[in-house]
Amino acid sequence: MSCKIHAESYDSIIERNWPDGFKKTHQRKDIFILLFCSEEPMSAAEIYDQLNSGDPKEKYAFSTVYRNLLAFEKAGIVTKTVLSTEAEAVYELKKSSHKHYAICTVCHRKIPIKTCPLHDISKFVESSLNGFEITGHQLEILGICNECQKKK
Amino acid sequence: MSCKIHAESYDSIIERNWPDGFKKTHQRKDIFILLFCSEEPMSAAEIYDQLNSGDPKEKYAFSTVYRNLLAFEKAGIVTKTVLSTEAEAVYELKKSSHKHYAICTVCHRKIPIKTCPLHDISKFVESSLNGFEITGHQLEILGICNECQKKK
DNA sequence: ATGTCTGCAAACCTTTTGCAGGGGC
DNA sequence: GCCCCTGCAAAAGGTTTGCAGACAT
């Protein structure tokens, strides 16, 4: 498990972000740190692979990954997103509040879109859907990223 | 297999919309008619169920449904969409050119949005994603439909 | 007659669940 | 010590694939 952030600061990061009354197992801390360090949302398989790529004495079960992602989600610190281009769901910490992605159809990179271009879409749509009460939305931008364009 | 349209017009509908050189099996015609008559995009399971709900002498395999939906998609007359709220993909004929839905989170109804509110989003997003070439997008509106609001 | 399409069954992939043992608090 | 969490294995959905026979052209 590697990250740009110094190992000694992991504890304080966890301390600051941990949900109240949430049991601190080493599996949960490891998943949290992985998500914290990742620039992109991660799938359960990616998390599982990274967890098990380290010391082979440490084993992590797939079910543990899924159950804890769900637990994190319920605790309100993780967001699960299902993208139309991928078979698997992806997960990320809520801190970064990225809700939308530009997805490269070649390399499958997921680039967060900082601002949401939909803030005033609601009135527009609501008027044409008589009575439909909007509670959320999902937006994906598909295309070809900078690097993949160069490769061609 | 029932539909609002009179049975005698099925043949001409198929004649008009059938891809060139695409073999006309009764399974394919039936799937096509189902999609043609549906107001909402359908999942493979929904198509399968409707196909097999008729004369029990007529059997349709799941693989036939999937293979033909894929074949239709390759032939350019069907669109497959993966929605974030559903485990299954949904399929529809391209004719109606519905690309976006308002999805009721209670009853899972999928209401097509006639106009695309994203026609001028591209410049906006492209400028913040240096070099990302946009080729498409997916938008979902989530909420509670008229009927489900009344039920509460 | 040819090659494609079909049904059946098995495989596949992601995710969920049951259970017995282990580890936080 | 209690209860929640973990690992393992099996199951559960949705989708894909291999194969032998059937059908459209």
Side-chain angles (χ1 to χ4, degrees):
Chain A
M1 179 133 16
S2 65
C3 180
K4 290 170 196 150
I5 297 168
H6 282 255
E8 48 224 327
S9 60
Y10 285 165
D11 284 351
S12 62
I13 292 164
I14 288 174
E15 218 54 58
R16 263 186 289 121
N17 296 288
W18 210 252
D20 282 347
F22 205 69
K23 212 171 258 188
K24 277 183 202 134
T25 65
H26 80 90
Q27 291 92 336
R28 286 180 172 179
K29 288 194 225 169
D30 290 348
I31 293 171
F32 179 90
I33 293 296
L34 274 182
L35 289 174
F36 186 89
C37 297
S38 175
E39 316 240 311
E40 291 182 22
M42 299 178 78
S43 69
E46 286 167 348
I47 294 170
Y48 173 84
D49 286 343
Q50 288 220 29
L51 287 176
N52 287 301
S53 67
D55 188 339
K57 274 175 292 181
E58 306 221 318
K59 289 197 179 175
Y60 301 77
F62 245 115
S63 48
T64 302
V65 175
Y66 278 109
R67 279 195 274 234
N68 285 332
L69 287 171
L70 183 63
F72 278 133
E73 200 187 356
K74 277 191 188 162
I77 65 168
V78 157
T79 305
K80 173 183 180 178
T81 309
V82 180
L83 300 172
S84 65
T85 50
E86 318 281 328
E88 328 161 284
V90 291
Y91 303 83
E92 71 190 312
L93 289 186
K94 262 189 183 162
K95 68 170 169 65
S96 49
S97 75
H98 294 138
K99 289 256 333 210
H100 305 303
Y101 303 97
I103 304 163
C104 178
T105 52
V106 179
C107 70
H108 289 207
R109 187 188 321 196
K110 298 157 202 75
I111 305 163
I113 300 170
K114 277 118 201 160
T115 50
C116 171
L118 292 179
H119 35 64
D120 54 5
I121 222 172
S122 305
K123 332 156 186 116
F124 180 88
V125 174
E126 238 155 8
S127 63
S128 67
L129 289 175
N130 66 294
F132 191 92
E133 180 192 339
I134 295 179
T135 58
H137 60 257
Q138 203 209 353
L139 170 66
E140 296 170 26
I141 303 291
L142 306 175
I144 304 173
C145 75
N146 218 345
E147 278 74 16
C148 287
Q149 283 178 56
K150 285 180 197 155
K151 278 179 201 150
K152 285 195 296 196
Chain B
M1 180 134 16
S2 66
C3 181
K4 289 168 198 154
I5 298 166
H6 282 256
E8 49 224 321
S9 60
Y10 285 167
D11 283 352
S12 61
I13 293 164
I14 288 173
E15 218 53 59
R16 264 186 289 121
N17 296 287
W18 211 251
D20 283 346
F22 204 70
K23 211 171 260 189
K24 276 182 203 135
T25 65
H26 79 92
Q27 292 92 335
R28 285 181 172 177
K29 289 193 224 166
D30 291 347
I31 293 171
F32 179 89
I33 292 296
L34 274 183
L35 289 175
F36 186 88
C37 298
S38 175
E39 315 241 309
E40 292 182 20
M42 300 178 77
S43 68
E46 286 167 349
I47 294 169
Y48 173 85
D49 287 342
Q50 289 220 30
L51 287 176
N52 287 302
S53 68
D55 189 339
K57 274 176 291 183
E58 304 222 316
K59 288 197 179 177
Y60 302 77
F62 245 115
S63 49
T64 302
V65 175
Y66 278 111
R67 278 193 274 233
N68 284 333
L69 287 170
L70 183 62
F72 278 133
E73 200 188 356
K74 275 191 188 163
I77 66 168
V78 158
T79 305
K80 172 183 181 180
T81 310
V82 179
L83 299 172
S84 64
T85 51
E86 318 280 328
E88 328 161 282
V90 291
Y91 302 82
E92 71 191 312
L93 289 185
K94 264 190 182 161
K95 69 171 170 62
S96 49
S97 75
H98 294 139
K99 288 258 332 211
H100 304 303
Y101 303 97
I103 304 162
C104 178
T105 52
V106 180
C107 70
H108 289 207
R109 186 189 320 197
K110 298 157 201 75
I111 305 163
I113 299 170
K114 277 117 200 161
T115 50
C116 172
L118 291 179
H119 36 62
D120 55 5
I121 222 172
S122 305
K123 331 155 186 117
F124 180 89
V125 175
E126 238 155 11
S127 63
S128 67
L129 289 175
N130 66 296
F132 191 94
E133 181 191 337
I134 295 178
T135 58
H137 60 257
Q138 203 209 353
L139 170 66
E140 297 169 25
I141 303 291
L142 307 175
I144 305 174
C145 75
N146 218 345
E147 279 74 16
C148 287
Q149 283 176 56
K150 283 179 199 154
K151 278 179 202 151
K152 285 195 297 195

